[in-house]
Amino acid sequence: MTNASIGSAWGAPAGEALPKVAYGKGIHVYDAAGKRYIDASGGPAVYCLGHANEEVNAAIAQQLARIAHGYRYTFTSDPLEQLRDLVVAACAPKLDQVIFLSGGSEAVESALKIALQYHSARGQMSRRRFIARRRSWHGNTLGALSVSDFLDRRAPFEGALLEASFVSAVNEYRPPAGVGSAQLSQYCVAELEEEILRQGSDSIAAFIFEPVVGAAGGVVPAPAGYAAGIREVCDRHGVLLIADEVMCGSGRCGTWRALEHDSVIPDIMAVAKGLGGGYLPLGATLYQRFVADAILAYGGRVLTGHTFTGHTTACAAGVAVQTIIKRDRLIERVRADGPVFLRMLREVLKPIEAVGDIRGRGFFVGIEFVANRATRQPFDPAAQLAHRIGRAAAHDGLLCYPSMGNVDGICGDTVILAPPYNTPLDQLREIAELFAHSVRRAADELDTSAATQSKS
Ligand SMILES: Cc1ncc(COP(=O)(O)O)c(C=O)c1O
């Protein structure tokens, strides 16, 4: 099967060929036909420094000229140690244990395994189950998929997944029936505790959640009080708290850890995407010392990782990316300019009837589309509005990240915008205006095709 035949981020219909990428520079990507795109999220919130950054490329080239890879059980390396120091400093004070991996699914997989090994080391072999949330995505490996709730991605593997149960998504725009905004945090925290008790707290290894939900929800931050509430519930029942910050972390939301916003520290955390900015495959699992101590006291070592764990050149890329972010104070910039970007988007999108909600944090924004603003009824999924918007935007020279299924796993159209952290305000404005133009075109196209169908 070719990549083209399985569709694309902007939903090229099956069989339609994808454009061939040729090169990039800063916020721009060029395809082989010479077309230029502004990259406002041509991948799932990955390219935090834009493309072809000369300093990052030079760091990679220098490392390759020395040695590409030193195997983790034979050598340590300067890039590995430097990246560990940078990441631990960014996550201070408690998340000081790190293992570097090759992406988000591996980072989540390691997080799940570390949780299981922690309980095994403490003689609590009954704690084997996970609790996760509806409308969440944690990755494509079997463990990560088991705690994910993207229905169509799970369906072919049902029956072969790890044991996990799901509590409600925490979404102010789409709260559980009968729950008002003001009660949402409290309701969802209580629901988690009920689920732990229903299963028996000595059977639960960990609760995993995205502090700001990415693709499965269309950028959904939880309301105030939620993160602190689940932290307390997990502590009360000896359940480890895993934060999946693969998409929302590494500065994307205006703090290095997304959960910093809530002053909450998880026991285990997964990061990826923005850690290496897409220059080379890179992810990491961080965990607290008490977790490591329990495993080490048992006489073991943390049983996770792969041949390319701590890959020397991938770590060198990560060091370069993180050094630039720190030196140029880009996270502070995301924090300051994020609300401005959100305001720009609200200004241009509000007049469009199909726009239901515009939400986000930092340079991580989700736009949800609805057939009826008053009832928040989603569009017919057959219309594929999110993907139509993605295609219209690509046609207009803008890359964004459409996703479907946020309402019930099938219905729901959202598009994510996640520009590089160094995007200046005038380009944020350009993204907002171009995006509004593409949304209008896609919505008009949908109206036209509905009118044609009703006539025929
Ligand atoms: C929140 C979250 N966790 C995990 C993953 C899996 O990461 P990867 O695709 O790098 O394996 C993703 C990917 O989109 C993600 O958004």
Side-chain angles (χ1 to χ4, degrees):
M1 187 187 281
T2 65
N3 196 24
S5 70
I6 56 171
S8 73
W10 64 61
E16 189 175 300
L18 298 174
K20 199 173 273 179
V21 70
Y23 59 98
K25 190 66 205 161
I27 201 172
H28 293 115
V29 176
Y30 297 80
D31 71 18
K35 183 178 169 104
R36 192 183 84 164
Y37 306 83
I38 296 180
D39 192 345
S41 201
V46 178
Y47 311 112
C48 58
L49 280 188
H51 300 278
N53 182 289
E54 283 167 20
E55 285 179 69
V56 181
N57 284 351
I60 293 170
Q62 276 165 21
Q63 185 55 48
L64 285 175
R66 286 192 198 106
I67 188 165
H69 177 223
Y71 178 56
R72 66 173 173 146
Y73 289 138
T74 312
F75 292 109
T76 180
S77 66
D78 282 342
L80 174 73
E81 292 177 8
Q82 285 162 5
L83 188 58
R84 187 189 57 212
D85 291 349
L86 280 165
V87 167
V88 166
C91 295
K94 286 188 168 169
L95 289 160
D96 59 0
Q97 309 291 306
V98 192
I99 178 159
F100 290 109
L101 300 138
S102 300
S105 300
E106 278 190 10
V108 168
E109 203 73 26
S110 282
L112 302 177
K113 289 186 72 188
I114 289 168
L116 291 171
Q117 206 187 342
Y118 165 81
H119 292 300
S120 302
R122 300 177 79 235
Q124 294 200 298
M125 292 293 289
S126 60
R127 289 188 182 265
R128 303 286 90 172
R129 288 164 169 266
F130 294 94
I131 301 179
R133 296 194 311 200
R134 292 278 168 221
R135 311 287 90 77
S136 63
W137 178 245
H138 299 292
N140 241 335
T141 50
L142 275 178
L145 185 63
S146 303
V147 291
S148 297
D149 185 44
F150 239 130
L151 291 186
D152 58 344
R153 298 186 195 178
R154 281 179 66 98
F157 308 100
E158 290 295 356
L161 300 173
L162 295 182
E163 290 196 46
S165 62
F166 294 86
V167 289
S168 301
V170 185
N171 183 341
E172 284 182 286
Y173 189 67
R174 297 199 175 276
V179 180
S181 248
Q183 295 87 43
L184 183 61
S185 280
Q186 211 185 351
Y187 173 93
C188 291
V189 168
E191 188 192 21
L192 173 64
E193 186 154 35
E194 276 161 31
E195 181 59 18
I196 292 172
L197 294 171
R198 192 181 70 78
Q199 302 256 356
S201 61
D202 58 358
S203 73
I204 307 297
F207 172 58
I208 180 165
F209 79 118
E210 295 167 79
V212 180
V213 181
V219 185
V220 189
Y226 173 77
I230 55 162
R231 175 71 275 184
E232 265 175 42
V233 165
C234 286
D235 286 344
R236 201 156 42 241
H237 296 285
V239 170
L240 292 175
L241 180 63
I242 302 176
D244 178 352
E245 298 212 356
V246 166
M247 206 162 182
C248 61
S250 313
R252 170 81 32 217
C253 290
T255 47
W256 205 92
R257 289 189 307 110
L259 264 186
E260 261 177 82
H261 179 91
D262 308 88
S263 306
V264 166
I265 304 177
D267 300 310
I268 308 175
M269 179 175 95
V271 289
K273 306 193 195 287
L275 180 63
Y279 282 83
L280 283 174
L282 185 63
T285 309
L286 287 102
Y287 48 106
Q288 292 201 33
R289 186 174 294 266
F290 81 89
V291 175
D293 285 348
I295 293 172
L296 299 179
Y298 174 72
R301 56 190 166 81
V302 175
L303 290 173
T304 189
H306 313 267
T307 300
F308 297 128
T309 286
H311 189 281
T312 320
T313 310
C315 286
V319 170
V321 168
Q322 294 305 318
T323 302
I324 294 169
I325 288 176
K326 202 169 159 190
R327 181 195 67 201
D328 296 350
R329 303 179 61 81
L330 294 181
I331 297 181
E332 289 81 343
R333 190 157 149 186
V334 167
R335 193 157 58 234
D337 290 350
V340 182
F341 185 40
L342 207 54
R343 272 200 302 277
M344 288 174 182
L345 285 163
R346 290 199 167 122
E347 198 183 297
V348 291
L349 291 173
K350 272 277 159 73
I352 305 174
E353 199 51 37
V355 174
D357 194 28
I358 306 164
R359 56 195 176 229
R361 196 170 284 164
F363 279 10
F364 195 32
V365 178
I367 298 102
E368 178 164 349
F369 299 91
V370 287
N372 182 322
R373 268 189 181 170
T375 61
R376 301 183 182 180
Q377 186 200 332
F379 282 93
D380 178 348
Q384 301 256 306
L385 178 62
H387 291 307
R388 277 177 196 263
I389 293 169
R391 284 199 295 277
H395 181 270
D396 295 339
L398 178 73
L399 300 176
C400 57
Y401 196 77
S403 188
M404 293 193 58
N406 73 304
V407 176
D408 59 5
I410 295 167
C411 297
D413 294 273
T414 59
V415 176
I416 294 176
L417 297 175
Y421 303 169
N422 47 7
T423 309
L425 285 173
D426 57 339
Q427 273 177 337
L428 291 175
R429 161 77 56 195
E430 195 182 346
I431 290 170
E433 283 171 1
L434 208 48
F435 184 66
H437 175 74
S438 310
V439 169
R440 263 194 214 95
R441 279 203 319 110
D444 288 351
E445 181 193 291
L446 194 62
D447 287 347
T448 315
S449 80
T452 317
Q453 270 169 20
S454 70
K455 268 191 209 150
S456 58

